[in-house]
Amino acid sequence: MLALAGPAAAGRNPPADDSVRALGPTLAGEFALQSGKLDEAAKAYLEAAKAGNDPVLAERATRIALLAKDNKRAAEALELWRKLGGDAQAQSAAEATLALRRGDERAARRQLNSLLQADPDTGWQQVVGVLGIGARDPEQSARMLDRLLDDGRIPNKLQAWLAFGGLAQKLDQDKLAERIVDEVVKRFPGEPRVALLRASQLRQAGKEDEARKALAALDPALLAVPELRMAVAAEYDELGDFHAAADALAQGPQDDQTYSLRASLLARAEDKSALTALYEELRRDAAKPDPSRRLLLGQMAEFLDRNDEALDWYRGVPGGTQRWPAKLRAANVLYELKRGPEAYKALRDLQSDAAAPEDARRDGYILEADLHNRDKDGAGELDAFARGLAAFPDDPDILYARALGWERRDDIPRAEADFRKILVADPDSTAALNALGYTLADRTARYQEALELIDRARTAEPGNAAIIDSYGWVLYRLGRKGEALTELRRALALQKDPEIATHVGEVLWDMGKHDEARKYFDEARKLDPENRALQRALQKIGE
């Protein structure tokens, strides 16, 4: 961290005493940041920037203060950053974010316009970023985007218009999205990606039949282009039309990726007849020992519950990198065939195979633990984890899997201990910081400690939907319901996830908005009816 924050990174050579004066507060800022104390970190980094006259430290102070929602200190740090020099566009983006946080939308608009004018090729990307995660709430972002449209500020570039259209959809602003799509159609007639945006906008607005018509109207010849074929299939997938998605992928040249996706879609559609036909088509071409194809055929046979055939395919993978996932899958198939002792022996053999790569051997322990869990054999599960950690001391993947197992058993102290072991080796592991913070927020009353952990993760990945969800959830547990709802809605806009949708529903329910809450619970059910968070929430509210 210190290397990144040093004067050399800014291309400056200040006097040595400046660097010495900055060292103490820089260390204090880093320690505060590692403790999740964003307010203290922003204060210390601002002191360091002043002491060292360092624009890199000033930038860091600005960003941390914005993340801490400390508008006063963010403004002071930004003023210093501008004075010391640096990336003018990054400063304008920060100033726009600060103005939005203050509610000064006129000032924010000036900065956003400045970004768009400064560099038409990249400025719009920064504007999308500011409006996506920098505003106080989605409604404010939508107002700003609406004004940019009114002022004619969006550059006449297809990618820019598609990005702003996608932003409007994520903000759940149907009218705004429709306005953008209408404008894009006028500006770029005949462009297939515009038709895809139109279909997406109609789907988001709940007009699914119209969305299907828009997709059906596309020139079939476009499906020969791999990128467009994937995009069309993705839209059909979002509509729940798995057959149509598979049909789109079936057009044009095929490879193992398209075959695999088609198989997955047909499996989700529970169309074993079509999946069988695809399987038979591929197996006829599998005479040669192609590892990728045999691995794929094994996976398809698993989908079809033809486990004996799946086992043959997996065991027939002759070599290459596919050999190791095939061995893992073969063990799983043996278990499904009620040949548990053979499955466990296969995994033990893999774990002790010196020729196997470390990740395959490690995954052998994790899969063994999972099989024991499915057998309701808690002792066996823990023994597999223990042996895995003996072979791979403090391996983060094994520790993470065991921590989730402890959480599933409601043994939160042990789950916390494993998450903290990961953090001892890698203090900046955003996955462990977020998982531990969320666990403490969800399963204990240690909300302030949870907030500090989640804030550390937010510092590293401010746009990560899972971390934003954790942040919203801990705000809710702290009683800050309005702020929580804003963050949770933001997370759901970034990622359609059953747990995030459940959290939005829970907060709305607690605020007395039961009808609106039920819509989010219904959305969570569609995504995953068996989700544990959803089941707990429904049980709690008696639904």
Side-chain angles (χ1 to χ4, degrees), residues 177-479:
E178 186 172 0
R179 178 185 177 189
I180 292 176
V181 170
D182 287 342
E183 185 64 31
V184 176
V185 169
K186 292 177 187 175
R187 289 172 178 260
F188 308 97
E191 166 59 53
R193 284 173 291 179
V194 174
L196 283 169
L197 180 61
R198 166 70 79 187
S200 179
Q201 176 257 321
L202 290 168
R203 172 177 53 78
Q204 292 269 3
K207 300 175 182 178
E208 295 188 351
D209 289 339
E210 293 182 47
R212 291 185 181 92
K213 289 179 183 177
L215 291 171
L218 285 169
D219 184 349
L222 296 172
L223 297 178
V225 180
E227 178 188 356
L228 294 175
R229 183 167 67 231
M230 288 289 188
V232 170
E235 271 305 311
Y236 276 123
D237 187 2
E238 290 285 350
L239 288 165
D241 291 353
F242 303 132
H243 284 103
D247 288 343
L249 287 172
Q251 309 303 309
Q254 299 292 295
D255 55 25
D256 284 336
Q257 181 186 23
T258 55
Y259 282 131
S260 179
L261 289 171
R262 287 168 62 190
S264 177
L265 288 162
L266 293 173
R268 289 164 64 194
E270 299 182 357
D271 187 344
K272 290 197 172 183
S273 176
L275 185 57
T276 298
L278 180 59
Y279 174 65
E280 296 296 342
E281 174 190 336
L282 288 181
R283 74 186 299 183
R284 286 193 295 270
D285 298 329
K288 60 181 181 178
D290 179 82
S292 297
R293 182 60 54 83
R294 291 194 174 191
L295 179 60
L296 173 59
L297 281 162
Q299 293 168 324
M300 293 176 71
E302 273 197 84
F303 276 136
L304 292 167
D305 297 320
R306 296 162 73 160
N307 287 321
D308 286 312
E309 293 177 32
L311 187 58
D312 288 340
W313 287 118
Y314 289 140
R315 285 178 168 173
V317 174
T321 57
Q322 295 82 4
R323 175 186 175 191
W324 308 110
K327 283 181 175 291
L328 285 165
R329 295 310 311 165
N332 190 69
V333 168
L334 284 168
Y335 179 85
E336 294 297 331
L337 287 167
K338 310 300 182 187
R339 295 161 61 179
E342 292 179 67
Y344 288 119
K345 182 180 183 304
L347 289 171
R348 296 287 185 100
D349 289 344
L350 176 60
Q351 293 160 9
S352 61
D353 189 342
E358 285 194 356
D359 59 346
R361 291 168 50 217
R362 178 204 62 210
D363 290 347
Y365 290 106
I366 294 174
L367 178 56
E368 183 189 346
D370 180 58
L371 297 187
H372 283 300
N373 176 51
R374 286 189 246 170
D375 277 336
K376 310 298 182 187
D377 178 9
E381 179 187 7
L382 293 176
D383 177 66
F385 282 135
R387 286 185 289 103
L389 289 169
F392 299 97
D394 294 335
D395 179 86
D397 291 319
I398 299 176
L399 285 171
Y400 197 96
R402 189 171 70 172
L404 296 181
W406 290 127
E407 190 273 341
R408 191 175 60 248
R409 292 177 172 84
D410 298 320
D411 192 337
I412 305 306
R414 283 194 171 100
E416 178 181 352
D418 277 346
F419 284 134
R420 290 199 183 279
K421 284 180 184 176
I422 297 172
L423 292 171
V424 167
D426 181 8
D428 297 323
S429 169
T430 54
L433 288 167
N434 183 54
L436 177 55
Y438 176 75
T439 299
L440 294 181
D442 192 51
R443 307 298 296 278
T444 77
R446 293 157 59 189
Y447 306 139
Q448 188 58 43
E449 187 177 354
L451 176 61
E452 291 172 358
L453 289 161
I454 294 165
D455 273 343
R456 287 171 62 188
R458 284 201 308 136
T459 302
E461 298 183 31
N464 184 305
I467 296 172
I468 295 171
D469 171 62
S470 297
Y471 180 53
W473 193 240
V474 75
L475 290 178
Y476 168 62
R477 301 285 274 179
L478 285 163

Side-chain angles (χ1 to χ4, degrees), residues 120-198:
D121 291 325
T122 62
W124 61 267
Q125 298 178 36
Q126 290 179 299
V127 172
V128 170
V130 170
L131 296 182
I133 62 173
R136 289 189 302 184
D137 52 56
E139 290 74 19
Q140 187 187 53
S141 291
R143 285 195 303 273
M144 298 303 297
L145 180 50
D146 210 28
R147 287 302 300 267
L148 290 176
L149 288 168
D150 288 341
D151 297 342
R153 298 295 187 181
I154 298 178
N156 194 39
K157 295 179 179 294
L158 177 59
Q159 284 301 111
W161 281 93
L162 292 176
F164 283 111
L167 174 62
Q169 290 175 345
K170 287 181 178 180
L171 296 172
D172 285 331
Q173 298 290 324
D174 295 340
K175 291 184 178 179
L176 180 58
E178 186 172 0
R179 178 185 177 189
I180 292 176
V181 170
D182 287 342
E183 185 64 31
V184 176
V185 169
K186 292 177 187 175
R187 289 172 178 260
F188 308 97
E191 166 59 53
R193 284 173 291 179
V194 174
L196 283 169
L197 180 61
R198 166 70 79 187

Side-chain angles (χ1 to χ4, degrees), residues 44-68:
Y45 267 110
L46 179 55
E47 290 177 3
K50 290 177 178 177
N53 288 312
D54 191 326
V56 175
L57 291 174
E59 177 181 0
R60 191 157 176 77
T62 303
R63 296 190 186 283
I64 294 171
L66 286 172
L67 200 60

Side-chain angles (χ1 to χ4, degrees), residues 28-38 41 45 60 64 456 459:
E30 192 61 25
F31 287 136
L33 200 59
Q34 289 298 320
S35 300
K37 298 174 181 178
L38 296 185
Y45 267 110
R60 191 157 176 77
I64 294 171
R456 287 171 62 188
T459 302

